[in-house]
Amino acid sequence: MAENTSLNERADVLERKMSDELDVLLSKSALFNMADGKLGASNAGSDLAARHGKYYLMADDPRLPRMPAKPTLADFFDYRAKGINHLLQSATHALKASMPEKTILACLLHDISNAIFIKSDHGYWGAQLVEPYVDEEVCWAVRAHQALRFFPDESVGYSYPEMYVKNFGRDYVPDDYIKDAYQRARNHKWYMTARMITVHDIYSFDPNAVVSWEPFTDIVGRNFRQPEEGLGFDNSPVSHMWRTIRRPTKYL
């Protein structure tokens, strides 16, 4: 390969090689490509499949773990999530502090979008993802923590995270919509539920912490309305989101 080949070009060659080794042709969504500074979907031309003698992928991605036919919340954590140690650490922190079950569940779910879907505006996406299945208070708290984490509340011992100073710089200022959301949340009846997410959030992650799903099985069972048909197949307003996470490279 030429020495002056760009990293993006090398990545494209590698992706094509990986795709060629599969029995199906993979396409990348516009959102996926924007992460690499590209606009629009790729490998999406109708004649491309014919040239390769393959069909576009319309089922499970063979590179990903196969999920059960009726997936549960735990299945999505097992087969589609990464970084759940942070969620389990946060929920464990809340459990040891004898927080109410709704608060513990909110801590377990607060970064679910980070773990299985998308990072940008993760509080909003996460709340939408779980809204049909949890109490309104839990959903509101997951959404509100997005803004609250940027603002200290010394009455409960919450300071601006030092990790944010390291990650974003000492001069970082949240967007105006985050400031507005904070002001609205500050006077809300469930403010403290959302604030407790930030209190029990683990900003200094411990990769050696021993945590498990087991202590939360009953809490999830009592407070998360798992659809009998499986997440993604219950015709809820967010079923399409769970189906997309289940099969993220499905062509259409």
Side-chain angles (χ1 to χ4, degrees):
M1 186 176 297
E3 292 184 5
N4 61 351
T5 303
S6 71
L7 291 177
N8 278 340
E9 289 172 332
R10 294 183 188 182
D12 288 343
V13 170
L14 180 60
E15 283 287 339
R16 176 56 59 84
K17 183 177 183 295
M18 292 173 63
S19 180
D20 287 345
E21 291 172 353
L22 298 175
D23 294 329
V24 292
L25 189 67
L26 296 176
S27 65
K28 292 182 181 179
S29 70
L31 182 60
F32 183 102
N33 280 336
M34 275 190 275
D36 290 328
K38 302 177 182 178
L39 297 181
S42 60
N43 286 0
S46 60
D47 62 335
L48 194 57
R51 289 204 305 269
H52 283 74
K54 297 178 181 179
Y55 293 111
Y56 283 109
L57 180 66
M58 289 294 286
D60 293 322
D61 190 325
R63 301 170 302 176
L64 295 173
R66 184 182 291 272
M67 296 193 69
K70 298 180 179 181
T72 65
L73 178 66
D75 290 328
F76 277 91
F77 271 77
D78 285 340
Y79 298 116
R80 290 296 181 270
K82 187 174 182 179
I84 64 171
N85 209 45
H86 164 62
L87 296 176
L88 292 172
Q89 284 186 50
S90 296
T92 298
H93 200 270
L95 182 65
K96 290 181 177 179
S98 300
M99 289 287 104
E101 287 195 354
K102 289 181 183 179
T103 303
I104 295 170
L105 181 65
C107 289
L108 182 66
L109 297 176
H110 77 282
D111 279 356
I112 187 173
S113 179
N114 267 349
I116 66 175
F117 189 48
I118 192 172
K119 289 184 68 66
S120 177
D121 273 341
H122 70 282
Y124 297 95
W125 283 110
Q128 185 177 1
L129 193 61
V130 302
E131 187 169 10
Y133 313 110
V134 300
D135 187 88
E136 185 180 358
E137 181 178 354
V138 174
C139 178
W140 186 91
V142 170
R143 181 182 293 109
H145 100 276
Q146 165 90 20
L148 294 188
R149 62 205 173 104
F150 290 108
F151 300 92
D153 185 340
E154 297 302 334
S155 72
V156 292
Y158 179 76
S159 302
Y160 186 80
E162 184 61 29
M163 185 183 77
Y164 285 2
V165 176
K166 294 178 180 178
N167 287 349
F168 311 133
R170 194 165 297 279
D171 297 329
Y172 172 75
V173 177
D175 292 323
D176 287 343
Y177 76 92
I178 292 293
K179 296 177 184 177
D180 292 342
Y182 165 70
Q183 292 298 335
R184 290 194 300 272
R186 192 66 183 84
N187 299 312
H188 197 279
K189 62 180 178 180
W190 292 325
Y191 165 76
M192 197 52 67
T193 305
R195 176 52 77 190
M196 285 298 105
I197 293 179
T198 70
V199 169
H200 297 288
D201 210 342
I202 306 298
Y203 292 95
S204 299
F205 309 145
D206 181 359
N208 300 314
V210 178
V211 289
S212 73
W213 181 268
E214 193 276 331
F216 309 107
T217 300
D218 290 341
I219 293 176
V220 171
R222 287 189 290 268
N223 296 277
F224 188 91
R225 296 183 286 273
Q226 172 66 41
E228 182 179 348
E229 305 92 333
L231 288 168
F233 303 101
D234 56 322
N235 200 35
S236 81
V238 299
S239 288
H240 61 287
M241 296 173 66
W242 293 98
R243 291 195 301 268
T244 297
I245 296 165
R246 179 172 177 257
R247 290 177 169 174
T249 53
K250 189 169 179 281
Y251 183 62
L252 293 175

Coordinates of all heavy atoms in Angstrom, one line a residue, residues 95-141:
L95 N -27.3 1.2 45.8 CA -27.8 0.1 46.6 C -27.3 0.1 48.0 O -28.0 -0.1 49.0 CB -27.6 -1.3 45.9 CG -28.1 -2.5 46.6 CD1 -29.6 -2.5 46.6 CD2 -27.6 -3.8 45.9
K96 N -25.9 0.2 48.1 CA -25.3 0.3 49.4 C -25.7 1.5 50.2 O -25.6 1.4 51.5 CB -23.8 0.2 49.2 CG -23.2 -1.1 48.7 CD -21.7 -1.1 48.5 CE -21.2 -2.4 48.1 NZ -19.7 -2.4 47.9
A97 N -26.1 2.5 49.6 CA -26.6 3.7 50.3 C -28.1 3.6 50.6 O -28.6 4.6 51.2 CB -26.3 5.0 49.4
S98 N -28.7 2.5 50.4 CA -30.1 2.2 50.7 C -31.0 3.2 50.0 O -32.0 3.6 50.6 CB -30.3 2.3 52.3 OG -29.5 1.3 52.9
M99 N -30.7 3.5 48.8 CA -31.6 4.3 48.0 C -32.9 3.6 47.6 O -32.9 2.4 47.6 CB -30.9 4.8 46.7 CG -29.8 5.8 46.9 SD -30.4 7.4 47.3 CE -30.0 7.5 49.0
P100 N -34.0 4.3 47.3 CA -35.2 3.6 46.9 C -35.0 2.9 45.6 O -34.0 3.2 44.8 CB -36.2 4.8 46.6 CG -35.6 5.9 47.5 CD -34.1 5.8 47.5
E101 N -35.8 1.9 45.3 CA -35.6 1.0 44.1 C -35.6 1.8 42.8 O -34.9 1.5 41.9 CB -36.6 -0.1 44.1 CG -36.3 -1.2 45.1 CD -37.1 -2.5 44.9 OE1 -38.0 -2.4 43.9 OE2 -36.9 -3.4 45.6
K102 N -36.5 2.9 42.8 CA -36.6 3.7 41.6 C -35.2 4.4 41.3 O -34.8 4.5 40.2 CB -37.7 4.7 41.7 CG -39.1 4.1 41.6 CD -40.1 5.2 41.7 CE -41.5 4.7 41.7 NZ -42.6 5.8 41.8
T103 N -34.6 4.8 42.4 CA -33.3 5.5 42.2 C -32.2 4.5 41.8 O -31.4 4.8 40.9 CB -32.9 6.2 43.5 OG1 -33.9 7.1 43.9 CG2 -31.6 6.9 43.4
I104 N -32.3 3.4 42.4 CA -31.3 2.3 42.0 C -31.4 1.9 40.5 O -30.5 1.8 39.8 CB -31.4 1.1 42.9 CG1 -31.1 1.4 44.4 CG2 -30.5 -0.1 42.4 CD1 -31.5 0.3 45.4
L105 N -32.7 1.8 40.1 CA -32.9 1.4 38.7 C -32.5 2.6 37.8 O -31.9 2.3 36.7 CB -34.4 1.2 38.5 CG -34.8 0.8 37.0 CD1 -34.1 -0.6 36.6 CD2 -36.3 0.7 36.8
A106 N -32.7 3.8 38.2 CA -32.3 5.0 37.4 C -30.8 5.0 37.3 O -30.2 5.3 36.2 CB -32.8 6.3 38.0
C107 N -30.1 4.7 38.3 CA -28.6 4.6 38.3 C -28.2 3.5 37.4 O -27.2 3.6 36.6 CB -28.1 4.4 39.7 SG -28.2 5.8 40.8
L108 N -28.9 2.4 37.4 CA -28.5 1.2 36.5 C -28.7 1.6 35.0 O -28.0 1.1 34.2 CB -29.3 0.0 36.9 CG -29.1 -1.3 36.1 CD1 -27.7 -1.8 36.4 CD2 -30.1 -2.3 36.5
L109 N -29.7 2.5 34.8 CA -30.1 2.8 33.4 C -29.5 4.1 32.9 O -29.7 4.4 31.7 CB -31.6 2.8 33.2 CG -32.3 1.4 33.5 CD1 -33.8 1.7 33.4 CD2 -31.9 0.4 32.6
H110 N -28.9 4.9 33.7 CA -28.7 6.3 33.4 C -27.8 6.5 32.1 O -28.0 7.4 31.4 CB -28.1 7.1 34.6 CG -26.7 6.9 34.9 ND1 -26.2 5.7 35.5 CD2 -25.6 7.6 34.6 CE1 -24.9 5.8 35.6 NE2 -24.5 6.9 35.1
D111 N -26.9 5.6 31.9 CA -26.0 5.7 30.8 C -26.2 4.5 29.8 O -25.3 4.2 29.0 CB -24.5 5.6 31.2 CG -24.0 7.0 31.7 OD1 -24.8 8.0 31.6 OD2 -22.9 7.1 32.2
I112 N -27.5 4.0 29.7 CA -27.8 2.9 28.8 C -27.5 3.3 27.4 O -27.1 2.5 26.6 CB -29.2 2.4 29.1 CG1 -29.4 1.1 28.3 CG2 -30.2 3.4 28.8 CD1 -30.7 0.4 28.5
S113 N -27.8 4.5 27.0 CA -27.6 4.9 25.7 C -26.1 4.9 25.3 O -25.7 4.5 24.2 CB -28.2 6.3 25.4 OG -27.9 6.8 24.1
N114 N -25.3 5.4 26.3 CA -23.8 5.3 26.1 C -23.4 3.9 25.8 O -22.5 3.7 25.0 CB -23.1 5.8 27.4 CG -22.8 7.2 27.4 OD1 -22.9 7.9 26.3 ND2 -22.4 7.8 28.5
A115 N -23.9 2.9 26.5 CA -23.5 1.6 26.5 C -23.9 0.8 25.2 O -23.2 -0.1 24.7 CB -23.9 0.8 27.7
I116 N -25.1 1.2 24.7 CA -25.6 0.3 23.6 C -26.1 1.1 22.4 O -26.5 0.5 21.4 CB -26.8 -0.6 24.1 CG1 -28.0 0.2 24.4 CG2 -26.3 -1.5 25.2 CD1 -29.2 -0.6 24.8
F117 N -26.0 2.4 22.4 CA -26.7 3.2 21.3 C -25.8 4.3 20.8 O -25.2 4.3 19.8 CB -28.1 3.6 21.7 CG -28.9 4.1 20.6 CD1 -29.0 3.5 19.4 CD2 -29.6 5.3 20.7 CE1 -29.8 4.0 18.4 CE2 -30.4 5.8 19.7 CZ -30.5 5.2 18.5
I118 N -25.8 5.4 21.6 CA -25.2 6.6 21.1 C -24.8 7.5 22.3 O -25.5 7.5 23.3 CB -26.1 7.4 20.1 CG1 -25.3 8.5 19.4 CG2 -27.3 8.0 20.9 CD1 -26.2 9.2 18.3
K119 N -23.6 8.2 22.2 CA -23.2 9.0 23.3 C -23.8 10.4 23.4 O -24.1 10.9 24.4 CB -21.6 9.1 23.3 CG -20.9 7.8 23.6 CD -19.4 7.9 23.6 CE -19.0 8.8 24.8 NZ -19.2 8.2 26.1
S120 N -23.9 11.1 22.2 CA -24.3 12.4 22.2 C -25.8 12.5 22.8 O -26.6 11.8 22.4 CB -24.3 13.0 20.8 OG -24.8 14.3 20.7
D121 N -25.9 13.5 23.7 CA -27.3 13.6 24.4 C -27.8 12.3 24.9 O -29.0 12.0 24.8 CB -28.3 14.2 23.4 CG -28.2 15.7 23.4 OD1 -27.7 16.3 24.4 OD2 -28.7 16.4 22.5
H122 N -26.9 11.6 25.6 CA -27.2 10.2 26.0 C -28.4 10.2 27.0 O -29.1 9.2 27.1 CB -26.0 9.5 26.5 CG -25.5 10.0 27.9 ND1 -24.8 11.2 28.0 CD2 -25.7 9.6 29.1 CE1 -24.5 11.4 29.3 NE2 -25.1 10.4 30.0
G123 N -28.5 11.2 27.8 CA -29.6 11.2 28.8 C -30.9 11.2 28.1 O -31.9 10.5 28.5
Y124 N -31.1 12.0 27.1 CA -32.3 12.1 26.3 C -32.6 10.8 25.6 O -33.8 10.3 25.6 CB -32.2 13.3 25.4 CG -32.1 14.7 26.0 CD1 -30.8 15.2 26.2 CD2 -33.2 15.4 26.5 CE1 -30.7 16.4 26.8 CE2 -33.0 16.6 27.2 CZ -31.7 17.1 27.3 OH -31.6 18.3 27.9
W125 N -31.6 10.3 24.9 CA -31.8 9.1 24.2 C -32.1 7.9 25.1 O -33.0 7.1 24.9 CB -30.6 8.7 23.4 CG -30.4 9.5 22.1 CD1 -29.5 10.5 21.8 CD2 -31.2 9.4 20.9 NE1 -29.6 11.0 20.6 CE2 -30.7 10.4 20.0 CE3 -32.3 8.6 20.5 CZ2 -31.2 10.5 18.7 CZ3 -32.8 8.8 19.3 CH2 -32.3 9.7 18.4
G126 N -31.4 7.9 26.2 CA -31.6 6.8 27.2 C -33.0 6.8 27.8 O -33.7 5.8 27.9
A127 N -33.5 8.0 28.1 CA -34.8 8.2 28.7 C -35.9 7.7 27.7 O -36.9 7.0 28.0 CB -35.1 9.6 29.1
Q128 N -35.7 8.1 26.4 CA -36.7 7.7 25.4 C -36.7 6.2 25.2 O -37.7 5.6 25.0 CB -36.3 8.4 24.1 CG -37.3 8.2 23.0 CD -37.0 8.9 21.7 OE1 -36.0 9.6 21.6 NE2 -37.8 8.7 20.7
L129 N -35.5 5.6 25.3 CA -35.4 4.2 25.1 C -36.2 3.4 26.1 O -36.8 2.3 25.8 CB -33.9 3.8 25.1 CG -33.5 2.4 24.6 CD1 -33.9 2.2 23.1 CD2 -32.0 2.3 24.8
V130 N -36.2 3.8 27.4 CA -36.8 3.1 28.4 C -38.2 3.6 28.9 O -38.8 3.0 29.7 CB -35.9 3.0 29.7 CG1 -34.5 2.4 29.3 CG2 -35.7 4.4 30.3
E131 N -38.6 4.7 28.3 CA -39.8 5.3 28.7 C -41.1 4.4 28.8 O -41.8 4.5 29.8 CB -40.1 6.5 27.8 CG -41.3 7.4 28.3 CD -41.4 8.7 27.6 OE1 -40.7 8.9 26.6 OE2 -42.2 9.6 28.0
P132 N -41.3 3.6 27.9 CA -42.6 2.8 28.0 C -42.5 1.7 29.1 O -43.5 1.1 29.4 CB -42.7 2.1 26.6 CG -41.8 2.9 25.7 CD -40.7 3.4 26.6
Y133 N -41.3 1.5 29.6 CA -41.1 0.3 30.5 C -40.8 0.6 32.0 O -40.7 -0.3 32.8 CB -40.0 -0.6 29.9 CG -40.1 -0.8 28.5 CD1 -39.3 -0.2 27.6 CD2 -41.2 -1.5 27.9 CE1 -39.4 -0.3 26.2 CE2 -41.3 -1.7 26.6 CZ -40.4 -1.1 25.7 OH -40.6 -1.3 24.3
V134 N -40.7 1.9 32.3 CA -40.4 2.3 33.7 C -41.3 3.3 34.2 O -42.0 4.0 33.4 CB -38.9 2.8 33.8 CG1 -37.9 1.7 33.3 CG2 -38.7 4.1 32.9
D135 N -41.3 3.6 35.5 CA -42.1 4.6 36.1 C -41.7 6.0 35.5 O -40.5 6.2 35.2 CB -41.9 4.6 37.6 CG -42.8 5.6 38.3 OD1 -44.0 5.1 38.6 OD2 -42.4 6.7 38.5
E136 N -42.6 6.9 35.4 CA -42.3 8.2 34.8 C -41.2 8.9 35.6 O -40.4 9.6 35.0 CB -43.6 9.1 34.9 CG -43.4 10.4 34.2 CD -44.7 11.3 34.3 OE1 -45.7 10.7 34.8 OE2 -44.7 12.4 33.8
E137 N -41.1 8.7 36.9 CA -40.1 9.3 37.7 C -38.7 8.8 37.3 O -37.7 9.6 37.2 CB -40.3 9.0 39.2 CG -39.3 9.7 40.1 CD -39.6 9.4 41.5 OE1 -40.6 8.8 41.8 OE2 -38.7 9.7 42.4
V138 N -38.5 7.6 37.0 CA -37.3 7.0 36.6 C -36.9 7.6 35.2 O -35.7 8.0 35.0 CB -37.3 5.4 36.5 CG1 -36.1 4.9 35.9 CG2 -37.6 4.9 37.8
C139 N -37.8 7.6 34.3 CA -37.5 8.2 32.9 C -37.1 9.6 33.0 O -36.1 10.0 32.4 CB -38.8 8.0 32.1 SG -38.6 8.7 30.4
W140 N -37.8 10.4 33.8 CA -37.5 11.8 34.0 C -36.1 12.0 34.6 O -35.3 12.8 34.1 CB -38.5 12.5 34.9 CG -38.3 14.0 34.9 CD1 -38.9 14.9 34.1 CD2 -37.5 14.7 35.9 NE1 -38.4 16.2 34.5 CE2 -37.6 16.1 35.5 CE3 -36.6 14.3 36.9 CZ2 -36.9 17.0 36.2 CZ3 -35.9 15.3 37.6 CH2 -36.0 16.6 37.3
A141 N -35.8 11.2 35.5 CA -34.5 11.3 36.2 C -33.3 11.0 35.2 O -32.3 11.6 35.2 CB -34.4 10.4 37.4

